Amino acid sequence: MGRKILFVTTDQQRYDTLGCNGGTLARTPVVDGLAAQGIRFERAHPQSVVCMPSRSTILTGQHPTTHGVWMNGVPLPLDAPSVADVLHEAGYRTALVGKAHFEPFLDPFLRFPENALSGTGTEPPGGLHRGFEHLELATHGGIGPLHYAQWLAAEHPEALGGFYPVLDGSLQVNGAGGGDTGAPQVKVNPIERGIYHTDWVADRTIAWLDSLGADEDWFCWMSFPDPHHPWDPPESEVARVDWREVPLPAGYPEDRSERETIIDGKPRHWRLWYDGTLVSNYEAPASWVPATLTPDQVREVNARNAVECELIDEALGRVLGRIDERGWSDEVDVVFTTDHGEFQGDFGLLFKGPYHVDALMRLPLVWRPAPSASATPSVVTRPVGLVDLAPTFCTIAGLEPPPWMQGGSLPTDDADADLRGFERVLTEWDSDIFGTSVHLRTITRDHWVCSTYLPGTSHDGTEGELYDLADDPLQRHNRWDDPAHRPVRDDLVADLWSSQPPSRLDQLVLESPV
């Protein structure tokens, strides 16, 4: 019997939503406890700040440039390498419960296996799908072909209408507001807590674990759809955090003139989105103008987001309790992270897009090694990436990471990180939607974040962003055009381009907007 792996992801969760990372709104004692016992990462970054490319990186251990999922709506090829395949071949039982999203969601003809799977059960017809022998899938609501939606329709049809309708009548992302402040993608949801997707994911994870023999090794990816928008947690739980008492985040400049001056110091697509004249990410409602966002709306979004984070923490606690009851606690590694962040009011914005700042790029990451490994608790300040997760799972399982993985097993402390060269992390963005193309390449190294822009709809290829995290942690002052910072900019840009991963020879086709 070896070490088992519980891999926990959320969707679109900021670094500062956890108590162990300085968060004060949500109570997250379960994850905080794991951090105290294990390794907490101060600078974990995604290789893309949207779902499908980032999740494909987690699964493959490759950068988007290499695995080919260059934006949402581009399906990961079915023959793409998968860490779950590696573990299954080594004798691990494998499951994914919750949100997968390696294939597009908008799929009315069920062309993609993940969307068709609920019609045949929880075991893929061929025995495995991307290395998983068991899949029970969910997304952010109760409509669609996935397992959670089908279960809700069969068992609790009265709850279907409580969720926020993600698409409007034109099949565009809904920009309608709700709640007390009219904030976009906020809605009062009367659903009972016990049948909301957060608890459903925990319930189905527990059911799968209970199906296993005591001596079996397993890898379980438990993937919560929250706290991604829409913000519609069960109405019974909303009072946990009174939005009226929520302080405005440090990243939100309340003075409009100051806010717009900061945005105007960044490449022009920032201001174009803020003014509502350009949308370069399908999940940001085209009908919503960020400049209309009010302080109270920021407060309400942050409050509801905190409620969702608390529910996730409690659901994880139930799963860990069941693992303890099975007698597995000493042999289970727990890894907790997310796929990318969320603005939540920073710079007067919500949602996500081609904006490589900490709101979207600095992620929560906690690794609690199995107690039997006798690891020393630590905090790692060196930069790591989601590309490093797949090699870490191999290392936990006692396997050599295969050569197609591009990351390295996560360091256990800063000394280990320095010894093994964890010096930089790369993030990329490519999008071409609504007639708008945006292309970024970013390096985070030392205390700098440097982004270069390739030619696109709004950029000629000379633009960029350069932030000194030491004296400008909120990334308000773009030093790209500052002559005094030209040497460090040139050094970082040279390092960025010399560190690029290999590209696929063929560009995969965009088949759906999301």
Side-chain angles (χ1 to χ4, degrees):
M1 184 171 70
R3 286 161 64 179
K4 309 169 197 318
I5 304 168
L6 179 66
F7 177 44
V8 186
T9 55
T10 61
D11 193 354
Q12 200 161 304
Q13 183 172 3
R14 289 173 60 106
Y15 169 87
D16 55 11
T17 55
L18 297 179
C20 60
N21 290 339
T24 58
L25 282 185
R27 293 162 292 186
T28 55
V30 175
V31 179
D32 297 346
L34 294 171
Q37 300 163 24
I39 305 161
R40 183 175 65 83
F41 295 85
E42 282 278 297
R43 276 284 159 192
H45 286 242
Q47 280 49 75
S48 171
V49 295
V50 285
C51 296
M52 290 182 66
S54 187
R55 289 166 179 272
S56 297
T57 287
I58 292 171
L59 185 70
T60 64
Q62 297 179 338
H63 290 262
T65 290
T66 303
H67 62 61
V69 182
W70 54 278
M71 69 172 288
N72 273 354
V74 177
L76 182 67
L78 290 174
D79 62 355
S82 164
V83 67
D85 263 326
V86 175
L87 295 172
H88 189 270
E89 289 175 5
Y92 274 69
R93 304 291 304 275
T94 54
L96 195 163
V97 181
K99 183 175 178 180
H101 208 192
F102 307 121
E103 299 160 14
F105 278 151
L106 293 186
D107 179 24
F109 301 108
L110 303 183
R111 293 182 297 146
F112 302 110
E114 287 163 22
N115 296 322
L117 181 61
S118 66
T120 59
T122 58
E123 283 67 44
L128 288 178
H129 177 66
R130 305 192 187 280
F132 295 103
E133 61 185 78
H134 179 95
L135 297 100
E136 288 188 75
L137 304 180
T139 185
H140 310 288
I143 302 299
L146 300 182
H147 294 89
Y148 174 67
Q150 295 300 305
W151 172 81
L152 202 64
E155 301 294 332
H156 303 280
E158 74 285 353
L160 294 175
F163 288 95
Y164 182 91
V166 176
L167 300 181
D168 61 22
S170 301
L171 296 182
Q172 298 298 316
V173 174
N174 200 341
D180 295 324
T181 66
Q185 296 234 342
V186 167
K187 185 179 184 297
V188 174
N189 188 349
I191 192 171
E192 295 178 21
R193 174 187 171 172
I195 60 174
Y196 186 65
H197 47 68
T198 294
D199 276 325
W200 182 87
V201 167
D203 290 342
R204 302 316 304 157
T205 299
I206 290 170
W208 183 74
L209 293 173
D210 281 346
S211 74
L212 304 179
D215 293 334
E216 291 189 282
D217 293 331
W218 48 262
F219 170 70
C220 182
W221 184 343
M222 180 169 64
S223 181
F224 294 104
D226 273 351
H228 188 289
H229 59 92
W231 296 287
D232 56 357
E235 183 179 8
S236 62
E237 308 303 313
V238 170
R240 290 167 175 254
V241 182
D242 184 350
W243 69 262
R244 297 167 185 83
E245 303 297 325
V246 171
L248 289 169
Y252 174 71
E254 190 170 0
D255 179 81
R256 181 170 186 145
S257 176
E258 178 189 8
R259 184 164 67 245
E260 294 177 355
T261 296
I262 292 169
I263 289 174
D264 287 341
K266 303 178 186 297
R268 64 190 299 263
H269 74 296
W270 282 79
R271 183 59 189 257
L272 291 174
W273 183 35
Y274 177 80
D275 288 336
T277 60
L278 177 147
V279 176
S280 53
N281 175 38
Y282 181 77
E283 292 184 53
S287 61
W288 176 68
V289 178
T292 65
L293 184 69
T294 69
D296 279 351
Q297 289 175 345
V298 173
R299 291 185 175 96
E300 187 168 24
V301 165
N302 277 273
R304 286 172 171 267
N305 184 282
V307 169
E308 294 177 352
C309 291
E310 289 194 0
L311 296 180
I312 289 167
D313 194 75
E314 292 167 8
L316 172 57
R318 288 201 296 116
V319 174
L320 294 177
R322 187 61 184 142
I323 287 172
D324 186 53
E325 292 169 358
R326 291 296 307 269
W328 287 329
S329 292
D330 284 347
E331 302 301 328
V332 175
D333 283 66
V334 182
V335 177
F336 178 98
T337 192
T338 192
D339 53 356
H340 53 79
E342 154 68 47
F343 271 118
Q344 280 179 237
D346 281 9
F347 307 103
L349 303 172
L350 295 176
F351 314 118
K352 58 183 181 284
Y355 310 95
H356 285 179
V357 291
D358 273 6
L360 305 185
M361 289 209 310
R362 191 181 187 188
L363 307 185
L365 175 58
V366 170
W367 173 21
R368 198 291 311 273
S372 63
S374 300
T376 301
S378 67
V379 175
V380 174
T381 65
R382 305 300 190 260
V384 301
L386 296 184
V387 70
D388 301 317
L389 291 172
T392 303
F393 300 145
C394 291
T395 300
I396 291 169
L399 305 172
E400 186 71 23
W404 43 262
M405 291 186 182
Q406 296 172 329
S409 182
L410 287 168
T412 55
D413 54 32
D414 277 346
D416 182 33
D418 291 340
L419 182 66
R420 295 196 289 122
F422 282 84
E423 182 181 0
R424 67 187 58 74
V425 63
L426 306 179
T427 305
E428 59 189 88
W429 174 283
D430 290 292
S431 62
D432 191 349
I433 195 166
F434 303 134
T436 298
S437 63
V438 182
H439 309 278
L440 288 79
R441 296 294 182 271
T442 296
I443 184 171
T444 302
R445 197 195 76 193
D446 303 324
H447 53 89
W448 295 96
V449 177
C450 179
S451 298
T452 64
Y453 283 72
L454 301 174
T457 305
S458 303
H459 311 107
D460 62 16
T462 64
E463 302 90 339
E465 296 176 69
L466 179 65
Y467 302 108
D468 184 349
L469 297 174
D471 69 359
D472 182 24
L474 297 177
Q475 294 161 294
R476 293 186 173 187
H477 305 290
N478 182 12
R479 305 298 188 189
W480 179 263
D481 291 321
D482 183 348
H485 289 84
R486 185 61 183 262
V488 70
R489 167 186 143 180
D490 288 349
D491 176 55
L492 288 165
V493 169
D495 192 0
L496 169 67
W497 289 117
S498 67
S499 302
Q500 287 298 299
S503 299
R504 281 184 66 98
L505 296 178
D506 58 321
Q507 181 172 351
L508 299 180
V509 176
L510 176 67
E511 300 201 29
S512 174
V514 67

